[in-house]
Amino acid sequence: MTPRSVRITGWGMYAPERRLTNADLERVVDTSDEWIVTRTGIRERRIAARHETTATLAAIAGKRAIAVAGLQPDDIDVILVATLTPDYWMPSTGALVKEAIGNTRAAAMDVAAACSGLVYGYSVADAYLRSGMFKNALVVGSETLSRYLDFSDRGTCILFGDGAGAVVLSASDEEGGGAQGMELTTDPDGAYMIWLPSGGSRSPASGQTLARGEHYVRMEGKETYRYATKTMATTALKAIERAGWKPDDIDLFIPHQANVRIIESVAKGLGLPMEKMFVNLDRYGNTSAASVGIALAEAVDSGRIKVGDKIVLVAFGAGLTSGGIALEWTADPLNGKRAESVEPVATVREPIDWSSVDPIPDRLRQVLEGNSGPKVPLDDVVPGEPEPAPRDEVLA
Ligand code: ACO
C-alpha cells in the first residue's frame, strides 16, 4: 500500500572528539587563523581517531537516528550511506554499517554525490517509501575526509573535517508533512573542479600515482565558489516553488556547510536574513555528505525547529551536484533526547588475515602529535606535479 506521506522520524549525528584548530594548521601550512575565519568562517574541524572509519562514524549517527525515531535496528528496510570517503571501494560502506547498527534484514548501498550525498540519498529513500516498497529508511552522510587530504595544500586542508549525520524516513498514513518539493541537478562541466584523480579505472593506484599525490582531493576553490553561490540559491528556490511556497515562508534553511560566505550569498540571493540560515561550520568545517545531516540534527536539538516549520535542506558538491528539499517538519523535537542512550562506539567487521597501514596521513599525524615538522614552502603547495618519489620511500 502506498503511504499518505513520508516524514523524517529520526535524526542523529556523531563527530569525532579530536579537534584540529586553525592555530594547529598555522603550524603546517602558510595560513593564519585570521585568513581562514574571514575567508571561510571555519575555526576548527574534527579528526577521526585511528580506530574510527567512515563506517564507524556512520553507525553511531545511524544508531542515534534510529533511537530518536523510536525504532529498533531491524525496523529499517533500506540503508543508504552517502560518502566520498568510503572504508573501501568494495564492499560498500552501507553493507558494513548495516551489521554495525545491528540490522539483519535491510538492503544497503552507498550513494556517490559528494557533498549533496545526504540530500540525494534522502530523495532516493523518499521515492522508495512513497512507492510502498519499504516502510523505514536510514540515510546517513559520513566522511573521514582527513584521510584524503594533502596537509601541504593550504587550499584544501583548511576546509574539511570528519563526521556523520543521519536521518530516518518513515512512511506514514497521515496526510501532509515531509518533503513537499525537491530539485536535483548534476553538471559535469565542473567534473574536475573537485576531484580525486587516482584509484579509479582511469588511473589505478600505483607507486607513481602515490608519488604524484593523486590520492588526495584536488579543488579549484575559486571556480567551485562561483558555482556554489549561483547554484545553491537557484536549487533552493526551485525546491521551494515545487512545494508551492515562497522563500519568505521558510522558517529555517539547513545549507551545506562549506563556507559562510557561500551561505551569506544564498541568503542574499533569496532576499532573506542570515537568521534563517543554520550555520555550524565554525565548529566542524566542511564535512561533505555529513554536513547537512549534522546541521539538521544540531538545529532540531538546539530548539531551532518546531512541528509545522517549513525547512529547506540544500547542498552542492563534486560532480558538480546540487540538491534541495523543501519539507514540513512533523516530529517532536524532544525525541532528540533519545539519542543520549546511544554510546559513541561502533564495531565494524574486520577483514580476515589483513590489517591496514596507519590510516592517519603522515603530516596530519605529526600535527596531531604536536610535532608539525617544517612548514611547506609556498612554491611546493600547489597541487600538480610533485617530484616522483621511489615507491618504497612513499610507503615507508
Ligand atoms: N591561507 C592563506 N592564504 C591562502 C590560503 C590559506 N589557506 N588559501 C589561499 N590563499 C591565498 C591565495 O594564494 C591567494 O593569494 P594571492 O592573492 O597572493 O594569489 C589569496 O589567498 C586569495 O585566494 P583565493 O583562492 O582567491 O581565495 P578565496 O577568497 O576564493 O577563498 C576558498 C578560497 C576558501 C577555497 C574559497 O574559494 C572557497 O570556499 N571555495 C569553495 C570551496 C568549496 O566549497 N569546496 C567544497 C565543495 S563540496 C565537495 O563536494 C567536496
Side-chain angles (χ1 to χ4, degrees), residues 30-32 35 39-40 84 114-115 154-155 158-160 194 219 221-222 224-225 256 258-259 261-262 286 288 316-318:
D30 206 330
T31 192
S32 65
W35 192 96
R39 297 293 183 117
T40 71
L84 56 80
C115 304
R154 66 177 181 169
I158 58 147
L159 296 175
F160 298 101
I194 319 166
M219 189 182 71
K222 245 189 183 354
T224 309
Y225 185 91
H256 172 44
N259 185 324
R261 286 157 58 213
I262 295 175
N286 178 348
S288 188
F316 74 95

Side-chain angles (χ1 to χ4, degrees), residues 114-132:
C115 304
S116 309
L118 188 103
V119 174
Y120 270 58
Y122 186 130
S123 73
V124 175
D126 188 85
Y128 272 141
L129 268 52
R130 276 178 206 273
S131 77

Side-chain angles (χ1 to χ4, degrees), residues 108-329:
M109 64 176 175
D110 290 357
V111 174
C115 304
S116 309
L118 188 103
V119 174
Y120 270 58
Y122 186 130
S123 73
V124 175
D126 188 85
Y128 272 141
L129 268 52
R130 276 178 206 273
S131 77
M133 185 168 169
F134 296 128
K135 198 166 171 359
N136 295 300
L138 173 66
V139 184
V140 193
S142 183
E143 306 283 11
T144 44
L145 282 146
S146 62
R147 313 252 164 108
Y148 292 80
L149 293 176
D150 177 355
F151 279 88
S152 67
D153 174 14
R154 66 177 181 169
T156 50
C157 76
I158 58 147
L159 296 175
F160 298 101
D162 302 337
V167 290
V168 169
L169 297 186
S170 301
S172 167
D173 288 334
E174 288 175 54
E175 208 72 61
Q180 304 294 306
M182 287 193 198
E183 166 73 359
L184 304 169
T185 65
T186 301
D187 181 359
D189 273 357
Y192 299 108
M193 278 188 207
I194 319 166
W195 66 305
L196 198 148
S198 81
S201 64
R202 179 69 180 80
S203 177
S206 68
Q208 245 182 321
T209 62
L210 274 178
R212 288 159 60 151
E214 290 177 350
H215 51 300
Y216 293 130
V217 170
R218 289 186 182 188
M219 189 182 71
E220 301 291 336
K222 245 189 183 354
E223 312 312 316
T224 309
Y225 185 91
R226 260 189 227 118
Y227 172 83
T229 49
K230 199 174 60 189
T231 198
M232 287 258 279
T234 54
T235 300
L237 190 58
K238 281 238 173 77
I240 294 166
E241 286 171 356
R242 293 222 167 102
W245 302 336
K246 295 192 184 56
D248 271 347
D249 297 331
I250 306 303
D251 296 288
L252 191 66
F253 286 77
I254 310 287
H256 172 44
Q257 307 285 312
N259 185 324
V260 75
R261 286 157 58 213
I262 295 175
I263 297 176
E264 283 164 358
S265 89
V266 174
K268 201 168 158 209
L270 296 172
L272 296 171
M274 270 302 275
E275 292 78 70
K276 290 219 170 176
M277 302 281 149
F278 188 80
V279 177
N280 65 0
L281 57 78
D282 49 320
R283 289 175 290 124
Y284 301 112
N286 178 348
T287 55
S288 188
S291 112
V292 167
I294 293 175
L296 179 66
E298 284 206 337
V300 187
D301 292 340
S302 63
R304 294 283 300 274
I305 294 178
K306 55 185 193 312
V307 173
D309 276 0
K310 293 183 170 68
I311 309 296
V312 171
L313 313 180
V314 61
F316 74 95
L320 293 165
T321 55
S322 160
I325 300 177
L327 63 97
E328 191 187 323
W329 192 262

